[in-house]
PDB file of all heavy atoms in Angstrom:
ATOM      1  N   ALA A 732      23.590   0.705 -77.249  1.00 98.00           N
ATOM      2  CA  ALA A 732      24.045   1.971 -77.854  1.00 98.00           C
ATOM      3  C   ALA A 732      25.546   1.914 -78.099  1.00 98.00           C
ATOM      4  O   ALA A 732      26.305   1.347 -77.311  1.00 98.00           O
ATOM      5  CB  ALA A 732      23.712   3.150 -76.947  1.00 98.00           C
ATOM      6  N   VAL A 733      25.953   2.504 -79.217  1.00 97.00           N
ATOM      7  CA  VAL A 733      27.369   2.621 -79.581  1.00 97.00           C
ATOM      8  C   VAL A 733      27.604   4.075 -79.980  1.00 97.00           C
ATOM      9  O   VAL A 733      26.947   4.586 -80.883  1.00 97.00           O
ATOM     10  CB  VAL A 733      27.720   1.704 -80.773  1.00 97.00           C
ATOM     11  CG1 VAL A 733      29.200   1.826 -81.122  1.00 97.00           C
ATOM     12  CG2 VAL A 733      27.345   0.262 -80.470  1.00 97.00           C
ATOM     13  N   GLU A 734      28.524   4.748 -79.286  1.00 96.00           N
ATOM     14  CA  GLU A 734      28.772   6.159 -79.568  1.00 96.00           C
ATOM     15  C   GLU A 734      30.271   6.406 -79.687  1.00 96.00           C
ATOM     16  O   GLU A 734      31.043   5.895 -78.883  1.00 96.00           O
ATOM     17  CB  GLU A 734      28.211   7.043 -78.450  1.00 96.00           C
ATOM     18  CG  GLU A 734      26.727   6.873 -78.210  1.00 96.00           C
ATOM     19  CD  GLU A 734      26.317   7.476 -76.878  1.00 96.00           C
ATOM     20  OE1 GLU A 734      26.127   8.708 -76.815  1.00 96.00           O
ATOM     21  OE2 GLU A 734      26.211   6.709 -75.903  1.00 96.00           O
ATOM     22  N   ARG A 735      30.669   7.189 -80.668  1.00 93.00           N
ATOM     23  CA  ARG A 735      32.068   7.625 -80.770  1.00 93.00           C
ATOM     24  C   ARG A 735      32.165   8.978 -80.097  1.00 93.00           C
ATOM     25  O   ARG A 735      31.400   9.895 -80.417  1.00 93.00           O
ATOM     26  CB  ARG A 735      32.466   7.713 -82.241  1.00 93.00           C
ATOM     27  CG  ARG A 735      33.975   7.849 -82.479  1.00 93.00           C
ATOM     28  CD  ARG A 735      34.699   6.571 -82.131  1.00 93.00           C
ATOM     29  NE  ARG A 735      36.134   6.657 -82.410  1.00 93.00           N
ATOM     30  CZ  ARG A 735      36.722   6.064 -83.437  1.00 93.00           C
ATOM     31  NH1 ARG A 735      36.017   5.345 -84.284  1.00 93.00           N
ATOM     32  NH2 ARG A 735      38.029   6.173 -83.612  1.00 93.00           N
ATOM     33  N   LYS A 736      33.051   9.109 -79.140  1.00 93.00           N
ATOM     34  CA  LYS A 736      33.140  10.322 -78.326  1.00 93.00           C
ATOM     35  C   LYS A 736      34.549  10.892 -78.375  1.00 93.00           C
ATOM     36  O   LYS A 736      35.499  10.190 -78.699  1.00 93.00           O
ATOM     37  CB  LYS A 736      32.791  10.001 -76.871  1.00 93.00           C
ATOM     38  CG  LYS A 736      31.380   9.488 -76.643  1.00 93.00           C
ATOM     39  CD  LYS A 736      30.448  10.640 -76.412  1.00 93.00           C
ATOM     40  CE  LYS A 736      29.122  10.156 -75.856  1.00 93.00           C
ATOM     41  NZ  LYS A 736      28.213  11.263 -75.556  1.00 93.00           N
ATOM     42  N   GLY A 737      34.676  12.148 -77.963  1.00 88.00           N
ATOM     43  CA  GLY A 737      35.977  12.775 -77.803  1.00 88.00           C
ATOM     44  C   GLY A 737      36.538  13.291 -79.113  1.00 88.00           C
ATOM     45  O   GLY A 737      35.958  13.082 -80.190  1.00 88.00           O
ATOM     46  N   SER A 738      37.691  13.949 -79.022  1.00 84.00           N
ATOM     47  CA  SER A 738      38.330  14.503 -80.206  1.00 84.00           C
ATOM     48  C   SER A 738      39.467  13.578 -80.642  1.00 84.00           C
ATOM     49  O   SER A 738      39.901  12.704 -79.894  1.00 84.00           O
ATOM     50  CB  SER A 738      38.868  15.906 -79.896  1.00 84.00           C
ATOM     51  OG  SER A 738      39.754  15.833 -78.793  1.00 84.00           O
ATOM     52  N   GLY A 739      39.953  13.791 -81.865  1.00 82.00           N
ATOM     53  CA  GLY A 739      41.001  12.921 -82.396  1.00 82.00           C
ATOM     54  C   GLY A 739      40.480  11.502 -82.546  1.00 82.00           C
ATOM     55  O   GLY A 739      39.367  11.290 -83.022  1.00 82.00           O
ATOM     56  N   GLU A 740      41.302  10.533 -82.131  1.00 83.00           N
ATOM     57  CA  GLU A 740      40.824   9.145 -82.172  1.00 83.00           C
ATOM     58  C   GLU A 740      39.632   8.968 -81.247  1.00 83.00           C
ATOM     59  O   GLU A 740      38.735   8.182 -81.515  1.00 83.00           O
ATOM     60  CB  GLU A 740      41.938   8.195 -81.749  1.00 83.00           C
ATOM     61  CG  GLU A 740      43.053   8.060 -82.761  1.00 83.00           C
ATOM     62  CD  GLU A 740      44.100   7.066 -82.290  1.00 83.00           C
ATOM     63  OE1 GLU A 740      43.979   6.544 -81.154  1.00 83.00           O
ATOM     64  OE2 GLU A 740      45.029   6.806 -83.061  1.00 83.00           O
ATOM     65  N   GLY A 741      39.649   9.713 -80.146  1.00 91.00           N
ATOM     66  CA  GLY A 741      38.549   9.641 -79.196  1.00 91.00           C
ATOM     67  C   GLY A 741      38.417   8.255 -78.595  1.00 91.00           C
ATOM     68  O   GLY A 741      39.391   7.513 -78.476  1.00 91.00           O
ATOM     69  N   PHE A 742      37.192   7.911 -78.251  1.00 94.00           N
ATOM     70  CA  PHE A 742      36.936   6.593 -77.683  1.00 94.00           C
ATOM     71  C   PHE A 742      35.538   6.153 -78.072  1.00 94.00           C
ATOM     72  O   PHE A 742      34.730   6.957 -78.555  1.00 94.00           O
ATOM     73  CB  PHE A 742      37.098   6.619 -76.151  1.00 94.00           C
ATOM     74  CG  PHE A 742      36.172   7.568 -75.431  1.00 94.00           C
ATOM     75  CD1 PHE A 742      34.951   7.129 -74.951  1.00 94.00           C
ATOM     76  CD2 PHE A 742      36.530   8.903 -75.225  1.00 94.00           C
ATOM     77  CE1 PHE A 742      34.101   7.993 -74.281  1.00 94.00           C
ATOM     78  CE2 PHE A 742      35.683   9.775 -74.550  1.00 94.00           C
ATOM     79  CZ  PHE A 742      34.473   9.321 -74.085  1.00 94.00           C
ATOM     80  N   VAL A 743      35.274   4.883 -77.886  1.00 96.00           N
ATOM     81  CA  VAL A 743      33.948   4.334 -78.169  1.00 96.00           C
ATOM     82  C   VAL A 743      33.250   4.081 -76.836  1.00 96.00           C
ATOM     83  O   VAL A 743      33.835   3.452 -75.935  1.00 96.00           O
ATOM     84  CB  VAL A 743      34.036   3.023 -78.979  1.00 96.00           C
ATOM     85  CG1 VAL A 743      32.651   2.437 -79.200  1.00 96.00           C
ATOM     86  CG2 VAL A 743      34.734   3.280 -80.316  1.00 96.00           C
ATOM     87  N   LEU A 744      32.051   4.613 -76.707  1.00 97.00           N
ATOM     88  CA  LEU A 744      31.256   4.410 -75.490  1.00 97.00           C
ATOM     89  C   LEU A 744      30.162   3.390 -75.800  1.00 97.00           C
ATOM     90  O   LEU A 744      29.336   3.609 -76.693  1.00 97.00           O
ATOM     91  CB  LEU A 744      30.638   5.732 -75.028  1.00 97.00           C
ATOM     92  CG  LEU A 744      29.819   5.678 -73.738  1.00 97.00           C
ATOM     93  CD1 LEU A 744      30.702   5.315 -72.542  1.00 97.00           C
ATOM     94  CD2 LEU A 744      29.133   7.018 -73.487  1.00 97.00           C
ATOM     95  N   LEU A 745      30.189   2.284 -75.080  1.00 98.00           N
ATOM     96  CA  LEU A 745      29.205   1.214 -75.289  1.00 98.00           C
ATOM     97  C   LEU A 745      28.233   1.175 -74.115  1.00 98.00           C
ATOM     98  O   LEU A 745      28.653   1.250 -72.953  1.00 98.00           O
ATOM     99  CB  LEU A 745      29.920  -0.139 -75.396  1.00 98.00           C
ATOM    100  CG  LEU A 745      30.985  -0.272 -76.489  1.00 98.00           C
ATOM    101  CD1 LEU A 745      31.678  -1.622 -76.374  1.00 98.00           C
ATOM    102  CD2 LEU A 745      30.358  -0.092 -77.866  1.00 98.00           C
ATOM    103  N   THR A 746      26.954   1.041 -74.422  1.00 98.00           N
ATOM    104  CA  THR A 746      25.939   0.921 -73.375  1.00 98.00           C
ATOM    105  C   THR A 746      25.311  -0.461 -73.457  1.00 98.00           C
ATOM    106  O   THR A 746      24.848  -0.880 -74.524  1.00 98.00           O
ATOM    107  CB  THR A 746      24.840   1.987 -73.537  1.00 98.00           C
ATOM    108  OG1 THR A 746      25.450   3.272 -73.512  1.00 98.00           O
ATOM    109  CG2 THR A 746      23.816   1.883 -72.419  1.00 98.00           C
ATOM    110  N   VAL A 747      25.336  -1.165 -72.340  1.00 98.00           N
ATOM    111  CA  VAL A 747      24.810  -2.529 -72.272  1.00 98.00           C
ATOM    112  C   VAL A 747      23.679  -2.571 -71.249  1.00 98.00           C
ATOM    113  O   VAL A 747      23.818  -2.056 -70.134  1.00 98.00           O
ATOM    114  CB  VAL A 747      25.920  -3.523 -71.862  1.00 98.00           C
ATOM    115  CG1 VAL A 747      25.359  -4.920 -71.650  1.00 98.00           C
ATOM    116  CG2 VAL A 747      27.035  -3.536 -72.904  1.00 98.00           C
ATOM    117  N   GLU A 748      22.561  -3.137 -71.651  1.00 98.00           N
ATOM    118  CA  GLU A 748      21.449  -3.352 -70.712  1.00 98.00           C
ATOM    119  C   GLU A 748      21.531  -4.787 -70.196  1.00 98.00           C
ATOM    120  O   GLU A 748      21.725  -5.722 -70.977  1.00 98.00           O
ATOM    121  CB  GLU A 748      20.095  -3.138 -71.393  1.00 98.00           C
ATOM    122  CG  GLU A 748      19.870  -1.732 -71.915  1.00 98.00           C
ATOM    123  CD  GLU A 748      19.799  -0.689 -70.812  1.00 98.00           C
ATOM    124  OE1 GLU A 748      19.432  -1.039 -69.667  1.00 98.00           O
ATOM    125  OE2 GLU A 748      20.112   0.485 -71.111  1.00 98.00           O
ATOM    126  N   LYS A 749      21.395  -4.945 -68.888  1.00 98.00           N
ATOM    127  CA  LYS A 749      21.460  -6.261 -68.276  1.00 98.00           C
ATOM    128  C   LYS A 749      20.212  -6.496 -67.437  1.00 98.00           C
ATOM    129  O   LYS A 749      19.746  -5.573 -66.749  1.00 98.00           O
ATOM    130  CB  LYS A 749      22.682  -6.373 -67.357  1.00 98.00           C
ATOM    131  CG  LYS A 749      24.029  -6.279 -68.047  1.00 98.00           C
ATOM    132  CD  LYS A 749      25.136  -6.351 -67.012  1.00 98.00           C
ATOM    133  CE  LYS A 749      26.497  -6.524 -67.647  1.00 98.00           C
ATOM    134  NZ  LYS A 749      27.566  -6.600 -66.608  1.00 98.00           N
ATOM    135  N   VAL A 750      19.717  -7.712 -67.477  1.00 98.00           N
ATOM    136  CA  VAL A 750      18.565  -8.098 -66.650  1.00 98.00           C
ATOM    137  C   VAL A 750      18.931  -9.371 -65.903  1.00 98.00           C
ATOM    138  O   VAL A 750      19.255 -10.396 -66.527  1.00 98.00           O
ATOM    139  CB  VAL A 750      17.299  -8.333 -67.498  1.00 98.00           C
ATOM    140  CG1 VAL A 750      16.133  -8.725 -66.603  1.00 98.00           C
ATOM    141  CG2 VAL A 750      16.954  -7.096 -68.323  1.00 98.00           C
ATOM    142  N   TYR A 751      18.933  -9.287 -64.578  1.00 98.00           N
ATOM    143  CA  TYR A 751      19.243 -10.441 -63.732  1.00 98.00           C
ATOM    144  C   TYR A 751      17.934 -10.996 -63.208  1.00 98.00           C
ATOM    145  O   TYR A 751      17.104 -10.266 -62.654  1.00 98.00           O
ATOM    146  CB  TYR A 751      20.112 -10.026 -62.553  1.00 98.00           C
ATOM    147  CG  TYR A 751      21.469  -9.486 -62.929  1.00 98.00           C
ATOM    148  CD1 TYR A 751      21.608  -8.170 -63.379  1.00 98.00           C
ATOM    149  CD2 TYR A 751      22.605 -10.265 -62.828  1.00 98.00           C
ATOM    150  CE1 TYR A 751      22.862  -7.670 -63.721  1.00 98.00           C
ATOM    151  CE2 TYR A 751      23.852  -9.766 -63.165  1.00 98.00           C
ATOM    152  CZ  TYR A 751      23.974  -8.477 -63.612  1.00 98.00           C
ATOM    153  OH  TYR A 751      25.208  -7.982 -63.949  1.00 98.00           O
ATOM    154  N   GLY A 752      17.752 -12.316 -63.367  1.00 98.00           N
ATOM    155  CA  GLY A 752      16.501 -12.906 -62.917  1.00 98.00           C
ATOM    156  C   GLY A 752      16.697 -14.289 -62.330  1.00 98.00           C
ATOM    157  O   GLY A 752      17.778 -14.885 -62.418  1.00 98.00           O
ATOM    158  N   SER A 753      15.639 -14.762 -61.687  1.00 98.00           N
ATOM    159  CA  SER A 753      15.600 -16.133 -61.174  1.00 98.00           C
ATOM    160  C   SER A 753      14.208 -16.681 -61.519  1.00 98.00           C
ATOM    161  O   SER A 753      13.450 -16.023 -62.236  1.00 98.00           O
ATOM    162  CB  SER A 753      15.824 -16.144 -59.659  1.00 98.00           C
ATOM    163  OG  SER A 753      14.677 -15.645 -58.990  1.00 98.00           O
ATOM    164  N   VAL A 754      13.878 -17.835 -60.984  1.00 97.00           N
ATOM    165  CA  VAL A 754      12.543 -18.389 -61.257  1.00 97.00           C
ATOM    166  C   VAL A 754      11.452 -17.480 -60.673  1.00 97.00           C
ATOM    167  O   VAL A 754      10.283 -17.576 -61.064  1.00 97.00           O
ATOM    168  CB  VAL A 754      12.385 -19.810 -60.673  1.00 97.00           C
ATOM    169  CG1 VAL A 754      13.265 -20.789 -61.420  1.00 97.00           C
ATOM    170  CG2 VAL A 754      12.681 -19.834 -59.185  1.00 97.00           C
ATOM    171  N   ARG A 755      11.841 -16.602 -59.761  1.00 96.00           N
ATOM    172  CA  ARG A 755      10.854 -15.662 -59.174  1.00 96.00           C
ATOM    173  C   ARG A 755      10.631 -14.447 -60.061  1.00 96.00           C
ATOM    174  O   ARG A 755       9.838 -13.582 -59.725  1.00 96.00           O
ATOM    175  CB  ARG A 755      11.330 -15.229 -57.784  1.00 96.00           C
ATOM    176  CG  ARG A 755      11.364 -16.373 -56.773  1.00 96.00           C
ATOM    177  CD  ARG A 755      11.693 -15.910 -55.374  1.00 96.00           C
ATOM    178  NE  ARG A 755      13.070 -15.504 -55.223  1.00 96.00           N
ATOM    179  CZ  ARG A 755      13.460 -14.259 -54.998  1.00 96.00           C
ATOM    180  NH1 ARG A 755      12.557 -13.298 -54.907  1.00 96.00           N
ATOM    181  NH2 ARG A 755      14.734 -13.960 -54.872  1.00 96.00           N
ATOM    182  N   GLY A 756      11.350 -14.376 -61.190  1.00 98.00           N
ATOM    183  CA  GLY A 756      11.193 -13.240 -62.101  1.00 98.00           C
ATOM    184  C   GLY A 756      12.400 -12.326 -62.072  1.00 98.00           C
ATOM    185  O   GLY A 756      13.467 -12.688 -61.552  1.00 98.00           O
ATOM    186  N   THR A 757      12.227 -11.136 -62.630  1.00 98.00           N
ATOM    187  CA  THR A 757      13.336 -10.183 -62.693  1.00 98.00           C
ATOM    188  C   THR A 757      13.683  -9.675 -61.300  1.00 98.00           C
ATOM    189  O   THR A 757      12.807  -9.291 -60.528  1.00 98.00           O
ATOM    190  CB  THR A 757      12.964  -8.997 -63.596  1.00 98.00           C
ATOM    191  OG1 THR A 757      12.743  -9.481 -64.910  1.00 98.00           O
ATOM    192  CG2 THR A 757      14.074  -7.952 -63.616  1.00 98.00           C
ATOM    193  N   LEU A 758      14.983  -9.686 -61.009  1.00 98.00           N
ATOM    194  CA  LEU A 758      15.462  -9.203 -59.715  1.00 98.00           C
ATOM    195  C   LEU A 758      16.095  -7.813 -59.816  1.00 98.00           C
ATOM    196  O   LEU A 758      15.848  -6.948 -58.983  1.00 98.00           O
ATOM    197  CB  LEU A 758      16.494 -10.182 -59.139  1.00 98.00           C
ATOM    198  CG  LEU A 758      16.041 -11.625 -58.958  1.00 98.00           C
ATOM    199  CD1 LEU A 758      17.202 -12.484 -58.464  1.00 98.00           C
ATOM    200  CD2 LEU A 758      14.868 -11.712 -57.986  1.00 98.00           C
ATOM    201  N   VAL A 759      16.921  -7.643 -60.814  1.00 98.00           N
ATOM    202  CA  VAL A 759      17.658  -6.382 -60.952  1.00 98.00           C
ATOM    203  C   VAL A 759      17.819  -6.042 -62.435  1.00 98.00           C
ATOM    204  O   VAL A 759      18.032  -6.934 -63.255  1.00 98.00           O
ATOM    205  CB  VAL A 759      19.080  -6.469 -60.349  1.00 98.00           C
ATOM    206  CG1 VAL A 759      19.638  -5.079 -60.076  1.00 98.00           C
ATOM    207  CG2 VAL A 759      19.128  -7.308 -59.096  1.00 98.00           C
TER     208      VAL A 759
END
Side-chain angles (χ1 to χ4, degrees):
Chain A
V733 181
E734 302 165 81
R735 193 70 177 255
K736 298 271 194 177
S738 57
E740 289 182 357
F742 60 92
V743 177
L744 182 65
L745 303 175
T746 302
V747 174
E748 298 295 334
K749 295 178 169 180
V750 180
Y751 297 79
S753 73
V754 292
R755 294 186 289 112
T757 297
L758 303 176
V759 199

